[in-house]
């Protein structure tokens, strides 16, 4: 019998991570798309670092930072009573770091393609930067917005190295689908591993297909395709 709990944990983790990252990445991506600050390349490189950094490296440093022996880990546990190592809360924090570029970059690219005159007209009409972002910019980058949300969700579902190092494999707490597959392969339960892997494969394909179909439809509407 297939245990669906690892998938539920994966989807729960991905959903929370996507919501948190959207609230964090939206203003960051907007600022990066509009600023001419000399610090922009540094922030872009820092934001994109999880893409090129080996998950084991990122996972190790997150494990050190979130550990109860660290200043941050001690602060979180003493003030909020929250443990961030080998807990679901720790997985959420780690996933936010690991999936950050997958939310920021599509949003930033979308904002950078907007007509500058449209943004300037919004400011001349008396709208604030926040109003311009929500009422003018965001509605005009729907393909980029959908790409950011879905790719972030799917990327988080497929995480392995970072979540294994920070969360371990605690059933019902941190044992997500990718970790479950790894453990099945370790004990040579290839039949179950095939089923779990097939579910992940189909999910990933459906996610990507949804993004490409939507973007193609949007391009067709404006006559690009």
């Amino acid at each position: 019998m297939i245990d669906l709990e690892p998938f539920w944990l994966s989807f729960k983790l991905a959903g929370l991570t996507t919501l948190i990252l959207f609230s964090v990445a939206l203003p960051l991506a907007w600022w990066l798309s509009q600023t001419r600050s000399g610090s922009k390349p540094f922030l872009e490189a820092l934001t994109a670092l999880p893409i090129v950094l080996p998950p084991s490296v990122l996972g190790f440093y997150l494990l050190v930072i979130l550990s109860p022996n660290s200043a941050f880990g001690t602060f979180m546990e003493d003030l909020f009573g929250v443990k961030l190592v080998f807990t679901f809360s720790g997985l959420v924090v780690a996933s936010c770091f690991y999936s950050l570029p997958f939310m920021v970059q599509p949003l930033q690219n979308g904002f950078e393609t907007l007509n500058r005159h449209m943004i300037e007209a919004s400011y001349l009409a008396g709208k604030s930067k926040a109003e311009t972002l929500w009422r003018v910019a965001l509605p005009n980058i729907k393909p980029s917005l959908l790409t950011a949300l879905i790719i972030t969700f799917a990327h988080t579902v497929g995480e392995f190295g970072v979540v294994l190092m920070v969360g371990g494999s605690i059933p019902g707490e941190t044992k997500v689908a990718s970790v479950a597959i790894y453990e099945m392969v370790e004990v040579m339960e290839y039949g179950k591993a095939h089923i779990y892997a097939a579910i992940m494969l189909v999910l990933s394909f459906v996610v990507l297909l949804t993004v490409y179909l939507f973007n193609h439809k949007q391009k067709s509407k404006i006559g690009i395709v």
Side-chain angles (χ1 to χ4, degrees), residues 3-11 172 175-178 180 184 196:
D3 181 13
L4 296 178
E5 190 170 52
F7 290 100
W8 158 244
L9 281 175
S10 293
F11 296 149
K175 188 177 179 179
V176 295
S178 58
M184 289 172 190
Y196 275 62

Side-chain angles (χ1 to χ4, degrees), residues 151-218:
I151 295 299
T152 299
F153 183 91
H155 181 259
T156 305
V157 168
E159 286 180 28
F160 172 69
V162 171
V163 295
L164 181 63
M165 293 194 71
V166 175
S169 178
I170 304 174
E173 180 72 19
T174 64
K175 188 177 179 179
V176 295
S178 58
V179 174
I181 295 172
Y182 172 74
E183 291 186 343
M184 289 172 190
V185 173
E186 272 197 319
V187 297
M188 293 190 291
E189 291 185 358
Y190 296 124
K192 287 186 178 180
H194 271 303
I195 296 174
Y196 275 62
I199 293 174
M200 297 292 284
L201 176 62
V202 171
L203 173 66
S204 300
F205 178 76
V206 169
V207 165
L208 291 174
L209 181 62
T210 300
V211 171
Y212 284 119
L213 286 175
F214 181 84
N215 287 345
H216 180 78
K217 185 177 180 180
Q218 292 297 312

Side-chain angles (χ1 to χ4, degrees), residues 105-144:
Q105 291 187 356
L107 291 176
Q108 182 183 346
N109 291 337
F111 289 140
E112 288 177 345
T113 61
L114 290 174
N115 190 318
R116 298 290 302 180
H117 296 298
M118 180 174 61
I119 304 300
E120 292 170 0
S122 176
Y123 291 147
L124 290 174
K127 295 185 183 297
S128 65
K129 291 184 178 180
E131 287 179 313
T132 300
L133 169 60
W134 282 99
R135 297 184 180 182
V136 179
L138 203 56
N140 285 283
I141 62 162
K142 290 180 181 178
S144 298

